[in-house]
Amino acid sequence: MRASILSAALLVGLCATNANAHTRPQAQPQPQSHSHANHVHTGGITAPITREALAPFDIVHAKIKTEGNVAIFHMAVTGRAGSVKPTSTGKFAGSKVFSYVWPTTINPAEVGFEGDRGILALAVTSHPDFDDTPLFDENRDGNLGNDGGLWHMHWVVLGPDEVCGPGALKVIDIPAGTKPRLPRTWPSAPILIDSPGWQPSISQDTVEVRVPFDDISVVEGAGFDGVTAGLRVNASAHAPLLCVVNVFDVASGNLSLPGRVNR
């Protein structure tokens, strides 16, 4: 029941934010192979090429598999993954975020948030106008605060907010004066986001992130999908702060979260 509610909320929210949403055939979640560039993608969700999406965000394959206690989040696109990033605006308010996202049915409590607060998603993002990984120096220049434009990984908890648009989603805000349970690597932003430092691997048409879990069974029983999207930072920290404003592509075609781990 919980998975179906989350899927419905995600479907309404993400589709409503995309004014140029396209219709595409539903992908098949059954194990199969897709060959693109120098890779053969097997299992997970395969999706047809669509010309409406920019090639670096045109998803052809999304998968989550496990090796021991490590979950491997995988996405493949028709173009060169990660080759397109947001243009810098020179300021935080109004800046843009590009992302490769795996929405899941994993309970947010499993990665350190309050339980059942929204949709837990792993996101690989780029945003040149701010840095939200204060514990890590991704470009290794000795400055912890200038790496936001590099592709990096977050956990985020998504939920609906009409202020972002009719039926749209946001990264859930933390109301002023409240102290919800948060991961130890929370970057002190007023939203449900975590910056645990697991770096993505981006090569040719593929984005992958390897994430260790204390209890890998919480991943093995999960459903998932793959999404590429743009987000926008609003002027006020609680206006809300970070809205999903444009969906580039959806692996399943209908955001039903049909993917099953290790299948």
Side-chain angles (χ1 to χ4, degrees):
M1 178 63 71
R2 179 175 179 271
S4 63
I5 292 172
L6 293 181
S7 300
L10 187 58
L11 173 62
V12 171
L14 286 182
C15 289
T17 61
N18 186 7
N20 299 311
H22 54 271
T23 302
R24 54 186 293 180
Q26 181 176 348
Q28 298 300 313
Q30 291 82 11
Q32 51 188 291
S33 295
H34 173 81
S35 180
H36 181 65
N38 295 321
H39 304 282
V40 176
H41 305 292
T42 303
I45 307 169
T46 61
I49 294 172
T50 173
R51 301 302 176 191
E52 289 87 349
L54 191 66
F57 300 104
D58 179 15
I59 302 170
V60 292
H61 188 236
K63 181 171 69 173
I64 302 175
K65 67 177 182 178
T66 62
E67 292 180 357
N69 73 322
V70 175
I72 303 170
F73 293 74
H74 165 101
M75 191 180 296
V77 293
T78 59
R80 182 169 291 278
S83 60
V84 175
K85 298 179 180 180
T87 300
S88 176
T89 65
K91 57 183 180 179
F92 178 66
S95 61
K96 296 179 181 179
V97 178
F98 287 176
S99 60
Y100 298 88
V101 185
W102 293 258
T104 76
T105 61
I106 300 170
N107 195 310
E110 301 296 347
V111 298
F113 297 103
E114 296 280 358
D116 300 314
R117 289 292 303 273
I119 304 160
L120 181 69
L122 186 147
V124 172
T125 70
S126 171
H127 39 75
D129 289 303
F130 62 98
D131 187 298
D132 52 8
T133 58
L135 299 177
F136 306 100
D137 182 12
E138 288 92 343
N139 62 8
R140 301 181 182 179
D141 68 348
N143 185 345
L144 296 175
N146 66 351
D147 323 292
L150 298 180
W151 292 101
H152 55 280
M153 170 267 185
H154 293 291
W155 286 116
V156 294
V157 183
L158 303 173
D161 193 321
E162 292 292 314
V163 176
C164 291
L169 289 181
K170 66 176 182 179
V171 180
I172 294 177
D173 295 278
I174 300 173
T178 65
K179 295 183 179 181
R181 181 185 178 218
L182 294 165
R184 289 181 298 173
T185 46
W186 172 63
S188 298
I191 52 177
L192 297 184
I193 186 172
D194 185 30
S195 303
W198 311 118
Q199 291 304 304
S201 173
I202 299 178
S203 177
Q204 298 181 52
D205 63 341
T206 300
V207 179
E208 286 191 347
V209 190
R210 301 175 68 93
V211 181
F213 281 79
D214 291 335
D215 181 3
I216 199 65
S217 68
V218 303
V219 179
E220 292 171 333
F224 69 90
D225 215 321
V227 177
T228 51
L231 297 88
R232 184 187 63 239
V233 176
N234 288 323
S236 168
H238 294 287
L241 179 60
L242 191 57
C243 291
V244 179
V245 294
N246 190 18
V247 178
F248 304 141
D249 201 9
V250 180
S252 68
N254 60 9
L255 278 169
S256 56
L257 279 70
R260 293 296 177 266
V261 176
N262 292 326
R263 300 185 194 173

